[in-house]
Amino acid sequence: MEWIVLGVIVLLLLWLVVIYNRLVSLRQTTNQAWSDVDVQLKQRHDLIPNLVETVKGYAAHERQTLEAVVAARNAAVSASGPQQQAAAENQLSGALRQIFALSEAYPDLKANENFMSLQRELSDIENKIAAARRFYNNAVSEYNAMRESVPAVFFAGALGFRERAFFELDEAEKAAVKTAPQVKF
């Protein structure tokens, strides 16, 4: 009888070790996914000063728009954690949209090869950021689901496995996504 009880205890301990290791693995995947997002955002932040300088030469009197982009970039660079980073990046995206709207008002700017190259590069980085965000949010979802499932829920918090936040759009961005674009001919 003692051997059976000892066997059950050993199996229970092994099962808990497997669950713990799975949580550690998912936490690492989430950390790695956040690092991927961070790398893409850094590339975006590095590109923005070049874009601003290019626009400055053509739209010198659009100082307020350019200052808004620079301020949004600085806020995004100094943000920490997914929630602050998401808010700052959403603000930066809005400021960048204003820069590209300026290109419509300045045909010479729109025709500038440097501006067009920077715009293509930024578009490519935006696609990479979107992919990295999806991967991060998927990793967070999997981690949080494992953390909240039985039996992990009973000991995950005590072992330091905290819930992770998703990288989400702010309310203005959500509204913009839900609104269908208008096409006029």
Side-chain angles (χ1 to χ4, degrees), residues 158-174:
L159 293 175
F161 294 95
R162 304 285 177 248
E163 183 176 2
R164 293 288 179 99
F166 290 101
F167 198 123
E168 297 180 308
L169 297 174
D170 67 5
E171 293 306 315
E173 290 282 325
K174 286 179 185 178

Side-chain angles (χ1 to χ4, degrees), residues 13-168:
L13 287 175
L14 286 174
W15 186 45
L16 290 175
V17 166
V18 167
I19 291 170
Y20 177 82
N21 286 341
R22 177 74 176 138
L23 283 167
V24 169
S25 174
L26 290 172
R27 181 172 56 192
Q28 287 306 107
T29 300
T30 304
N31 290 341
Q32 185 252 328
W34 178 250
S35 292
D36 290 348
V37 169
D38 211 27
V39 165
Q40 296 303 322
L41 293 175
K42 171 111 175 71
Q43 287 180 344
R44 180 188 195 196
H45 299 157
D46 290 346
L47 184 65
I48 290 170
N50 295 335
L51 188 64
V52 168
E53 286 301 315
T54 301
V55 173
K56 258 187 200 177
Y58 287 90
H61 64 280
E62 299 288 351
R63 184 180 185 101
Q64 186 178 8
T65 301
L66 298 174
E67 287 174 353
V69 171
V70 170
R73 178 202 177 265
N74 292 340
V77 168
S78 64
S80 62
Q83 290 169 323
Q84 283 184 343
Q85 193 77 43
E89 291 302 325
N90 290 331
Q91 192 176 31
L92 180 57
S93 292
L96 286 173
R97 275 194 290 279
Q98 290 177 342
I99 285 254
F100 293 121
L102 281 179
S103 71
E104 297 298 323
Y106 296 91
D108 290 342
L109 174 61
K110 195 173 181 180
N112 179 287
E113 185 57 39
N114 191 25
F115 179 77
M116 296 306 291
S117 173
L118 290 168
Q119 192 173 17
R120 280 190 300 273
E121 208 174 321
L122 188 60
S123 177
D124 182 49
I125 289 173
E126 293 292 339
N127 290 334
K128 289 176 183 177
I129 290 170
R133 283 179 177 176
R134 281 192 302 274
F135 181 70
Y136 171 76
N137 283 339
N138 183 53
V140 166
S141 176
E142 194 174 339
Y143 169 79
N144 285 342
M146 177 66 182
R147 188 188 153 284
E148 295 171 8
S149 64
V150 173
V153 71
F154 297 121
F155 63 87
L159 293 175
F161 294 95
R162 304 285 177 248
E163 183 176 2
R164 293 288 179 99
F166 290 101
F167 198 123
E168 297 180 308

